[in-house]
């Protein structure tokens, strides 16, 4: 249903929410974006682009 581009956009949006909102941004990302992102069967797209600080 969703592809790698959608996963990339969701990962970038979650990172932006964290950067702007801190813990509140993380809460929003976990509540809203995580259920959608978990349905996309692909790894962290930020790792592949060298932008991930978590993995």
């Amino acid at each position: 249903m969703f592809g790698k581009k959608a996963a990339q956009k969701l990962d970038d949006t979650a990172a932006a929410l964290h950067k702007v909102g801190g813990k509140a941004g993380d809460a929003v990302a976990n509540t809203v974006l995580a259920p959608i992102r978990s349905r996309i069967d692909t790894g962290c797209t930020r790792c592949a682009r060298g932008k991930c600080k978590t993995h």
Side-chain angles (χ1 to χ4, degrees):
M1 185 168 140
F2 295 109
K4 189 173 182 177
K5 293 261 185 198
Q8 184 177 356
K9 295 291 183 188
L10 287 170
D11 291 345
D12 289 343
T13 302
L17 282 170
H18 170 73
K19 193 173 189 178
V20 172
K23 288 187 179 185
D26 283 341
V28 171
N30 288 336
T31 303
V32 178
L33 301 177
I36 299 166
R37 181 60 176 93
S38 67
R39 294 180 182 205
I40 302 172
D41 188 28
T42 184
C44 180
T45 60
R46 294 181 63 79
C47 287
R49 293 179 298 156
K51 294 185 176 183
C52 185
K53 295 180 181 176
T54 305
H55 302 113

